[in-house]
Amino acid sequence: MTADPVTTQQPTTPAEVPATVRASLSPSRAADFKTCPLLYRFRSIDRLPERPSVEQARGTLVHAVLERLFDLPATGRTPAAAGDLVAPQWDRLVTEQPELAELFPAGGDPAAVAEFLRSAAALLEGYFAVEDPQRLEPAERESLISAVVDDELLIRGYLDRLDVAPDGALRVVDYKTGGAPREAFEARALFQLKFYALVLWRTRGVVPRVLRLLYLRDAEVCDYAPDAEELLRFERTVVALWRAIEQATARQDFRPRPSRLCDWCNHQALCPSFGGTPPPFPLGAAGADPLRDARSRPAAPGADE
């Protein structure tokens, strides 16, 4: 299956945050709370460090390559050109995020790094199996979008790609490199895409025609078509999640919710479901800056995979 061509449109400049806004939420952190309230606490309140995994680093690398691929002239967007971007983009990421270098310590096995880069190149082959980038001109790539809902909540996040058709229709595209159980992972991914669709609808007055997941490992496309009624329901869900987060913070009560995704959690040693004990609740957490959502920036593309 190959995606249809689209045209380019300039991104919309985000509006200033109204004075009524008193909190912010990203799709990754909202999904954390929905998946496991304790995970939300560890990431957003305790802000415990998480050592990046090889899978996460590979996802971030593939996202970086696909972003840079569209900097090339259309005729130059070939599988070979994408492959040539892998090593330079990895070097750039390691320079910008030194913690990535810990995955392959200096003096370690050079073959491990080479295999890692080959595995990223293999995912790019999956991309070319489902799309022809020579026929695409994305309107936005790795773009931070935001909107205010319920007058008080700022929702924001980075979308991988936004395509705009000649008739103005929007298509939100998200690259997935795999790792978690498909059924749980796909539900989280679709939640994220609906989050972006809500932001676009609220800021541009257009419901995206297509929410598209590109599974690069399996070379598969999953399309979903939302409607305004569904996004209204989803908006209520997001606001309800935010209010539940506020209540849990006030009560200092974030309980674990065990699932198959626990296998990918960095914090099992501190989780009661695995015999651990969470650290003391941070002093002043309930009164912390509510506009600082989880991390200083929403999750980097590919980092949550």
Side-chain angles (χ1 to χ4, degrees), residues 64-75:
V65 169
L66 290 174
E67 181 184 8
R68 294 298 185 274
L69 182 68
F70 285 100
D71 288 336
L72 301 176
T75 56

Side-chain angles (χ1 to χ4, degrees), residues 110-126:
V113 178
E115 177 56 33
F116 170 76
L117 297 179
R118 280 195 295 270
S119 68
L123 290 173
L124 293 169
E125 292 176 5

Side-chain angles (χ1 to χ4, degrees), residues 72-202:
L72 301 176
T75 56
R77 299 170 195 161
T78 63
D84 289 342
L85 289 169
V86 172
Q89 286 304 306
W90 176 245
D91 291 341
R92 178 183 66 82
L93 289 172
V94 170
T95 299
E96 295 175 356
Q97 304 174 47
E99 65 273 16
L100 293 176
E102 299 175 7
L103 294 172
F104 307 102
D109 184 6
V113 178
E115 177 56 33
F116 170 76
L117 297 179
R118 280 195 295 270
S119 68
L123 290 173
L124 293 169
E125 292 176 5
Y127 168 73
F128 280 92
V130 295
E131 279 196 336
D132 180 1
Q134 295 183 343
R135 302 176 65 227
L136 296 167
E137 291 297 340
E140 300 178 34
R141 290 171 282 146
E142 309 298 359
S143 178
L144 177 62
I145 59 174
S146 63
V148 175
V149 297
D150 200 44
D151 295 325
E152 297 181 328
L153 178 64
L154 176 71
I155 57 175
R156 60 177 185 160
Y158 283 95
L159 52 79
D160 288 348
R161 199 180 84 212
L162 180 66
D163 299 337
V164 181
D167 64 357
L170 304 181
R171 178 172 65 199
V172 180
V173 180
D174 202 53
Y175 307 123
K176 294 302 176 189
T177 55
R182 185 61 174 268
E183 63 275 12
F185 185 46
E186 190 160 275
R188 184 182 175 104
L190 191 56
F191 178 91
Q192 183 179 30
L193 285 181
K194 289 181 181 179
F195 204 100
Y196 298 148
L198 176 59
V199 171
L200 292 169
W201 183 42
R202 285 307 187 195

Side-chain angles (χ1 to χ4, degrees), residues 269-290:
L270 299 174
C271 179
S273 295
F274 292 86
T277 301
F281 201 81
L283 294 176
D289 179 5

Side-chain angles (χ1 to χ4, degrees), residues 38-48 267 270 278-279:
L38 185 59
L39 176 62
Y40 174 91
R41 181 200 146 171
F42 286 156
R43 285 179 165 171
S44 302
I45 296 177
D46 297 290
R47 294 177 187 154
L48 300 180
H267 309 298
L270 299 174

Side-chain angles (χ1 to χ4, degrees), residues 211-298:
L211 307 179
R212 171 164 292 180
L213 294 168
L214 296 183
Y215 287 97
L216 307 188
R217 179 174 295 174
D218 302 323
E220 293 182 5
V221 176
C222 176
D223 282 347
Y224 185 81
D227 57 40
E229 184 177 343
E230 179 180 15
L231 292 184
L232 275 174
R233 293 195 300 270
F234 184 76
E235 183 176 63
R236 289 194 290 267
T237 296
V238 170
V239 171
L241 275 173
W242 166 53
R243 297 194 188 284
I245 290 170
E246 285 194 317
Q247 292 176 2
T249 303
R251 297 170 181 169
Q252 301 184 10
D253 184 12
F254 290 86
R255 301 182 185 184
R257 184 175 297 149
S259 72
R260 291 181 61 192
L261 293 175
C262 292
D263 292 343
W264 281 264
C265 184
N266 283 268
H267 309 298
Q268 289 186 8
L270 299 174
C271 179
S273 295
F274 292 86
T277 301
F281 201 81
L283 294 176
D289 179 5
L291 288 177
R292 176 167 179 149
D293 169 41
R295 303 163 183 169
S296 58
R297 290 162 56 91

